[in-house]
Amino acid sequence: MTAALRFDPIRLPAKCETLRKEVRAFLAEEIAAGTFSPFKPNREDTDAREFSRRVGERGWIGMTWPKQYGGHERSFLERYVVTEEMRVANAPTRRFFVADRQSGPVLLKYAPEHIKMDILPRICAGEICFAIGMSEPNSGSDLFAARTRATRTDGGWLINGTKIWTSSAHIADYMIAIFRTSPTKENRRHGLTQFLVNMKTPGIKVNPIGQITGQFEFNEVVFTDAFIADDHQLGEIDGAWKQATSELAYERSGPERFLETYYVLTELVRAIGPKPDSRSAEGIGRLVAQLHTMRRMSVSVAGMLAAGKEPVVEASIVKDIGTIWEQQLPHRVRELAAFVEEDAGNRETLEKQLSFAIKTAPKLTIQGGTTEVLRGIIARGLGLR
């Protein structure tokens, strides 16, 4: 079946711009208080518990969720503005972001009521952290190649196998993971089930994966007879492929998918100053035009999510284009930085940021699905395969 591909032109309403001012003022206060620095992308922000709670107090986590679960019943476009401002400011969002972006919506759709009432309000309060258990060794972003098994036992399931590239698993309280519950022969999509995993469960070992930047954001998670109770099963047995496809539309389409190295662009503009030469002006103009185009596409996807649609192909396109752009951005900025005056006040900061951004760029392909897998999804959606 061929999907109807479209990016509807959507303008952010006035209430979003009012909210943007509120978020900017809050972040400025946090920066002034020394909570974080927007000019230090290489910091570890995994311990930013109090910042996470303060964001929750502002009502900016679980913004679109029902009030009965601690949410605020605001729009996806309002949530988009908060995400955009947090990302541009390089705020320490790692502790709450995955739960807010996709784990919470999964629980809203598929978790039993007592699980919702227990966990969702704590997410909204910025108190707990989630990880995503999808990728596995030797299968990368090929979700349907998952081999980690969930085997029936009294009162639940025993989990054995390994997940990899699991961001924040070392600090996560919970993981939403996909495990194989039935063997697969002809249809690889069949036989996968989604579960809520308490990361303190015996039989779970988290091994950090070091990155070239010196950070330890990714992890390998090994399950050895880890027990998951029946009430932690999410949705249909063997039907997780449908659920995960919907979930990935949330993961792949937001502004975080093209703004991760954005700080080098703003630092370049500061270094070049208000009177750029023609080459610098042209180079920055091209980058800003590309950024604006991706932003319009991303806002469009947010609008489709708000309308209850599942823009899987469109989200994959945003992620694919965004990843390539944010990977290439540091190299383009480095080329343009050659024309920065030697006495530019922030030249040293720019050089440090470029060094970090160039090192972190390769991992951006891994996050949220590799380019090859995304292009396969896009091709299938367009009827090309």
Side-chain angles (χ1 to χ4, degrees), residues 345-366:
N346 67 329
R347 188 179 184 90
E348 183 178 355
T349 300
L350 176 60
E351 293 295 338
K352 288 180 179 179
Q353 289 191 354
L354 279 172
S355 176
F356 179 81
I358 288 170
K359 291 176 185 175
T360 201
K363 66 118 177 178
L364 302 176
T365 304
I366 298 172

Side-chain angles (χ1 to χ4, degrees), residues 275-345:
K275 296 180 179 180
D277 59 29
S278 58
R279 179 165 181 172
S280 298
E282 180 184 353
I284 292 173
R286 286 181 181 275
L287 292 172
V288 171
Q290 293 161 2
L291 177 62
H292 181 71
T293 301
M294 288 184 293
R295 182 175 182 270
R296 291 293 300 275
M297 294 170 71
S298 183
V299 169
S300 179
V301 174
M304 286 186 269
L305 290 171
K309 301 177 183 178
E310 294 185 357
V312 175
V313 176
E314 290 87 348
S316 297
I317 291 173
V318 171
K319 203 288 183 178
D320 182 22
I321 295 173
T323 293
I324 293 171
W325 188 81
E326 64 182 359
Q327 283 183 317
Q328 293 178 347
L329 178 61
H331 300 282
R332 183 62 183 135
V333 168
R334 184 168 61 176
E335 294 171 1
L336 294 172
F339 302 96
V340 173
E341 297 293 336
E342 290 295 331
D343 59 352

Side-chain angles (χ1 to χ4, degrees), residues 122-142:
R122 290 192 284 151
I123 293 176
C124 293
E127 295 176 352
I128 54 178
C129 177
F130 269 71
I132 304 166
M134 288 191 179
S135 295
E136 296 192 7
N138 302 317
S139 62
S141 298
D142 185 359

Side-chain angles (χ1 to χ4, degrees), residues 75 88 162 174 192 241 250 265 277 280 284 294 301 309 316:
S75 72
V88 167
T162 303
Y174 294 94
L192 298 170
W241 68 272
Y250 291 94
L265 178 56
D277 59 29
S280 298
I284 292 173
M294 288 184 293
V301 174
K309 301 177 183 178
S316 297

Side-chain angles (χ1 to χ4, degrees), residues 143-158:
L143 174 63
F144 303 134
R147 293 179 295 179
T148 298
R149 293 196 60 82
T151 306
R152 272 288 191 188
T153 189
D154 291 341
W157 305 78
L158 291 178

Side-chain angles (χ1 to χ4, degrees), residues 2-256:
T2 303
L5 180 66
R6 62 183 299 159
F7 287 93
D8 297 329
I10 294 176
R11 295 287 184 182
L12 295 176
K15 63 181 179 180
C16 286
E17 298 310 319
T18 300
L19 175 61
R20 187 184 302 281
K21 293 177 182 178
E22 294 175 14
V23 178
R24 285 185 179 178
F26 167 77
L27 292 171
E29 291 173 3
E30 293 291 323
I31 293 169
T35 303
F36 68 95
S37 170
F39 307 117
K40 292 184 179 179
N42 59 333
R43 61 151 197 277
E44 288 287 349
D45 61 15
T46 56
D47 60 347
R49 295 176 183 268
E50 292 306 316
F51 176 80
S52 180
R53 290 191 177 98
R54 287 193 291 274
V55 175
E57 289 172 0
R58 293 278 182 148
W60 296 336
I61 305 175
M63 292 179 68
T64 65
W65 306 352
K67 291 182 179 179
Q68 71 185 94
Y69 301 122
H72 304 277
E73 299 181 7
R74 300 181 75 164
S75 72
F76 276 90
L77 296 178
E78 288 175 291
R79 183 191 174 277
Y80 185 95
V81 166
V82 174
T83 301
E84 188 172 54
E85 291 300 317
M86 291 281 179
R87 183 65 266 170
V88 167
N90 197 30
T93 61
R94 189 181 304 175
R95 215 165 238 292
F96 63 83
F97 189 72
V98 166
D100 178 49
R101 178 182 65 191
Q102 67 197 93
S103 301
V106 169
L107 295 178
L108 278 169
K109 283 186 178 181
Y110 304 111
E113 190 63 22
H114 71 281
I115 296 288
K116 294 179 186 178
M117 293 301 297
D118 173 35
I119 293 179
L120 292 176
R122 290 192 284 151
I123 293 176
C124 293
E127 295 176 352
I128 54 178
C129 177
F130 269 71
I132 304 166
M134 288 191 179
S135 295
E136 296 192 7
N138 302 317
S139 62
S141 298
D142 185 359
L143 174 63
F144 303 134
R147 293 179 295 179
T148 298
R149 293 196 60 82
T151 306
R152 272 288 191 188
T153 189
D154 291 341
W157 305 78
L158 291 178
I159 312 300
N160 287 278
T162 303
K163 295 292 181 180
I164 201 167
W165 310 123
T166 313
S167 298
S168 302
H170 58 304
I171 61 168
D173 300 288
Y174 294 94
M175 171 193 290
I176 290 184
I178 289 177
F179 303 127
R180 186 156 296 284
T181 44
S182 297
T184 180
K185 293 182 180 179
E186 296 180 0
N187 186 354
R188 294 195 312 140
R189 296 183 176 187
H190 178 76
L192 298 170
T193 304
Q194 205 165 29
F195 292 89
L196 172 66
V197 180
N198 187 326
M199 292 299 287
K200 295 180 176 61
T201 301
I204 298 177
K205 184 179 181 183
V206 178
N207 302 314
I209 299 175
Q211 296 165 227
I212 192 173
T213 58
Q215 291 182 306
F216 290 88
E217 179 183 358
F218 292 140
N219 300 272
E220 174 192 63
V221 183
V222 181
F223 299 86
T224 306
D225 285 337
F227 176 77
I228 298 180
D230 277 327
D231 65 355
H232 281 50
Q233 172 194 321
L234 302 175
E236 302 176 20
I237 294 177
D238 296 340
W241 68 272
K242 293 180 289 186
Q243 298 166 207
T245 299
S246 175
E247 177 185 351
L248 289 171
Y250 291 94
E251 181 182 359
R252 290 173 171 166
S253 60
E256 71 277 9

